[in-house]
Amino acid sequence: MKNIMLIYPVGEIYQRGEDRCQINVESSVANSLRACNDLGYIASILKKENYNIFLKDYPAERLTFNDLKNDILNQNPDVIFMSITNGSIFNDIEIVKKIKDIKNDVVIILKGALFFNPDNELFEEIDFSLVDYLIGGEVEFIISDLLKAHYCDKNQLKIIQGISYKENGIWNINKLIDFNENLNSIPFPDRSLMKNNLYLNPLTNKPLATISTSRGCPSSCIYCVSPVISGKKIRFRTPQSVYEEIKECVEKYNIYDFFFKSDTFTMNKNWVIELCDLLINSRLNEKINWNANSRVNTLDEEMLIKMKQAGCSLIALGLESGSSDSLIKMKKGTTVEQNINTVKLIKKHGLQIFGFYLIGFPWETKEHLKETEKLIFQLNTDFIELSIATPFKGSELYNMVYSDIDNGKDVLGKDSFKYSTMGTKYLSKKELEEFRKKVILKYHLRPSFIIKKLLSKKLTIDVFSNYIKYGIRLLKNTICK
């Protein structure tokens, strides 16, 4: 029986299970850490094949490398699987080097969006000499075949899509061509191995389970890698499958709060209503609380009514910009008017809104930023995040930036909250960073905003303490930097 360690490596807290959104959680305003579902899926798959599984999220537990070292010595792993992000890659590679000093013969597998059909340039920028395999495709459909090939017949590596592997010291790249349609075939993540109380809903301070509902996005936003790494076609789990996972979380793990992970949860109205009806008819809606992301051009009143009846309390919207010019150029496919009307509609039905905005595109001027600032305060959503556009590899923005602006390819190891990876043609990095800090502070320090939170009917001692914690984080990430 082979010993497999599945880990989020020691370091800063990144959203490692989100290949689309690889943010540094603690550098953000109000984002919360989500569960390590990617590790949980692999655990479920490999346990069925009689591998001995050890799973740990070291950053979430605030553990050090000594903790990891002790675990390696105790577990004696044959394979260590690490989930990485664009922002953490250099730290993660250093962790790999330290691991190899402890156990030189361990097989190292890295998974992340960065490795999706990579170009040769990536292998020149990063030292992968101590790494055995890279997975950039959908790991749940790859990991079993990869381990079988490694231990039984390495010639089979040639036919596994979505991996990079070494042969005589040379990296071979197997591009992912076909996306698996059968998401229902993926087992539920093994939450028995997760410390579920590490992943809390800031609105309730209770454990929050992430449930993946679909993959793929037909949109063409220039800053997003989702259509590349998940495909342009949306692949849905059945509503019944999602319902069964919710039910398992409630009955087996006493988890009642959920984030429905998808590129756009509300893209298929009939699918949403079918899931909502399952929850309502089972009366699980009386117990659970959930949130999901959406686009302003995919919501209507009938859907909102059903979602609220089924337990939805918050909708996250990618509003992005108050500038029509920017929305067109970033290929968002929405308008400022749709932003305004959809926020009004959601507020009408008493659901909370998390508004996400982006600044710092190559064409943007101070006027573009002023239009976005105006919209932020006009919409006055319950929560906001203002990010600086990051040109992730694989996105259209990446190609645009590095062919049009002399910035140097410094995107690796960066994130969109700590600092800008690029300026615009008209604004410096420093100007973008200062604008972000100014707007975030101005928004959250308004007396009306603070009073609204303190007078909320849902305010409890636990939630109040969470507000204090996030408030301190906000001040630390703005005033202190």
Side-chain angles (χ1 to χ4, degrees):
M1 181 181 291
K2 299 296 183 181
N3 297 325
I4 314 289
M5 283 186 71
L6 308 174
I7 68 170
Y8 284 0
V10 174
E12 294 184 276
I13 298 180
Y14 280 83
Q15 209 74 277
R16 292 178 181 267
E18 300 282 337
D19 285 338
R20 180 186 74 163
C21 185
Q22 309 165 42
I23 62 170
N24 184 317
V25 175
E26 293 193 314
S27 292
S28 70
V29 175
N31 282 280
S32 59
L33 182 62
R34 295 185 191 136
C36 48
N37 276 27
D38 52 345
L39 303 185
Y41 287 127
I42 298 170
S44 291
I45 292 165
L46 296 184
K47 280 174 73 173
K48 291 180 180 179
E49 299 181 7
N50 295 320
Y51 290 97
N52 184 39
I53 303 299
F54 175 89
L55 183 155
K56 186 169 284 189
D57 182 346
Y58 288 88
E61 293 192 46
R62 310 285 182 174
L63 298 176
T64 67
F65 185 77
N66 280 336
D67 297 303
L68 173 57
K69 178 180 179 179
N70 290 333
D71 286 336
I72 292 172
L73 294 174
N74 290 331
Q75 297 297 321
N76 190 30
D78 299 288
V79 176
I80 294 181
F81 176 100
M82 292 169 48
S83 185
I84 68 95
T85 71
N86 183 92
S88 66
I89 180 62
F90 292 115
N91 173 76
D92 298 339
I93 291 297
E94 289 302 312
I95 296 296
V96 169
K97 293 177 182 178
K98 292 180 180 180
I99 288 173
K100 283 288 192 175
D101 286 338
I102 301 168
K103 195 173 192 302
N104 187 55
D105 63 343
V106 69
V107 175
I108 299 290
I109 303 175
L110 303 185
K111 163 258 175 187
L114 191 59
F115 309 134
F116 184 90
N117 296 349
D119 52 30
N120 290 325
E121 182 183 80
L122 181 67
F123 296 92
E124 297 172 3
E125 292 182 81
I126 302 173
D127 179 10
F128 291 118
S129 59
L130 299 178
V131 176
D132 296 280
Y133 301 101
L134 304 174
I135 300 179
E138 297 184 302
V139 65
E140 302 89 351
F141 299 112
I142 294 171
I143 191 64
S144 179
D145 290 339
L146 174 57
L147 290 178
K148 285 178 183 176
H150 176 80
Y151 284 112
C152 301
D153 182 3
K154 290 192 176 181
N155 285 325
Q156 295 300 308
L157 292 171
K158 298 175 183 178
I159 64 173
I160 302 175
Q161 293 185 25
I163 69 167
S164 297
Y165 67 98
K166 284 186 290 192
E167 192 172 38
N168 298 321
I170 305 299
W171 280 97
N172 294 316
I173 302 167
N174 294 353
K175 292 188 179 296
L176 181 68
I177 300 170
D178 305 310
F179 290 100
N180 197 306
E181 296 284 332
N182 189 10
L183 298 186
N184 279 359
S185 68
I186 303 174
F188 302 159
D190 189 339
R191 292 185 170 90
S192 70
L193 297 179
M194 299 181 191
K195 292 191 175 181
N196 296 298
N197 60 352
L198 292 174
Y199 314 103
L200 302 178
N201 182 349
L203 301 179
T204 64
N205 210 39
K206 296 177 181 178
L208 177 75
T210 298
I211 294 185
S212 179
T213 62
S214 67
R215 294 180 183 177
C217 182
S219 301
S220 301
C221 307
I222 67 170
Y223 52 85
C224 186
V225 296
S226 190
V228 176
I229 63 175
S230 298
K232 297 281 283 187
K233 179 183 177 181
I234 304 180
R235 294 162 290 145
F236 293 93
R237 291 173 62 186
T238 62
Q240 184 66 39
S241 172
V242 175
Y243 166 79
E244 293 296 336
E245 186 173 349
I246 296 168
K247 186 179 176 187
E248 180 188 83
C249 287
V250 170
E251 295 178 349
K252 190 173 180 180
Y253 300 105
N254 293 314
I255 300 175
Y256 298 91
D257 287 31
F258 301 93
F259 168 67
F260 291 155
K261 176 189 170 187
S262 62
D263 292 304
T264 303
F265 178 76
T266 54
M267 195 67 82
N268 184 320
K269 179 178 177 178
N270 291 334
W271 186 96
V272 172
I273 289 178
E274 185 178 344
L275 174 61
C276 289
D277 281 340
L278 282 172
L279 295 171
I280 292 167
N281 293 333
S282 70
R283 304 193 74 171
L284 271 177
N285 62 308
E286 298 176 4
K287 299 180 180 180
I288 67 172
N289 170 65
W290 57 271
N291 57 75
N293 55 18
S294 182
R295 287 172 61 92
V296 295
N297 59 347
T298 64
L299 278 168
D300 64 22
E301 193 150 28
E302 181 185 2
M303 202 186 312
L304 281 170
I305 291 171
K306 279 286 186 182
M307 288 169 67
K308 186 174 182 181
Q309 289 175 344
C312 180
S313 61
L314 179 145
I315 296 175
L317 295 173
L319 301 166
E320 317 308 0
S321 180
S323 164
S324 296
D325 180 53
S326 278
L327 289 175
I328 292 169
K329 288 179 178 176
M330 71 175 75
K331 300 182 182 179
K332 179 66 181 179
T334 59
T335 67
V336 175
E337 183 180 12
Q338 286 174 324
N339 284 344
I340 294 170
N341 290 337
T342 301
V343 167
K344 285 181 180 177
L345 184 63
I346 296 172
K347 286 184 176 182
K348 173 184 172 183
H349 290 281
L351 293 168
Q352 295 190 82
I353 304 169
F354 199 145
F356 288 84
Y357 299 87
L358 270 173
I359 58 168
F361 290 95
W363 59 83
E364 288 199 313
T365 65
K366 286 185 178 180
E367 192 57 39
H368 289 97
L369 268 58
K370 287 180 182 177
E371 289 178 304
T372 296
E373 180 179 3
K374 178 182 176 182
L375 184 69
I376 288 172
F377 284 90
Q378 178 183 346
L379 297 185
N380 193 28
T381 58
D382 300 276
F383 308 95
I384 67 161
E385 185 57 84
L386 178 59
S387 305
I388 301 173
T390 301
F392 290 117
K393 284 198 173 193
S395 69
E396 186 178 338
L397 179 62
Y398 181 87
N399 297 327
M400 178 188 298
V401 167
Y402 295 124
S403 64
D404 193 35
I405 297 178
D406 184 19
N407 279 286
K409 299 192 176 183
D410 63 348
V411 65
L412 291 178
K414 305 294 194 303
D415 68 76
S416 56
F417 299 132
K418 280 187 168 181
Y419 33 67
S420 170
T421 60
M422 61 179 188
T424 77
K425 288 182 178 180
Y426 311 100
L427 299 168
S428 68
K429 295 180 181 181
K430 184 176 181 181
E431 286 176 301
L432 293 174
E433 292 162 12
E434 291 301 317
F435 175 82
R436 178 179 180 268
K437 290 179 181 180
K438 180 198 75 172
V439 171
I440 286 173
L441 282 174
K442 183 179 175 183
Y443 191 87
H444 291 93
L445 296 183
R446 291 173 298 157
S448 59
F449 181 86
I450 296 171
I451 291 170
K452 181 181 178 182
K453 289 287 181 282
L454 294 177
L455 295 180
S456 170
K457 294 179 181 178
K458 297 181 180 180
L459 185 67
T460 64
I461 294 296
D462 285 341
V463 173
F464 178 73
S465 66
N466 252 13
Y467 284 159
I468 295 296
K469 180 178 71 175
Y470 278 84
I472 292 172
R473 190 171 88 181
L474 182 150
L475 294 174
K476 176 184 174 183
N477 290 334
T478 51
I479 294 176
C480 300
K481 288 187 178 181

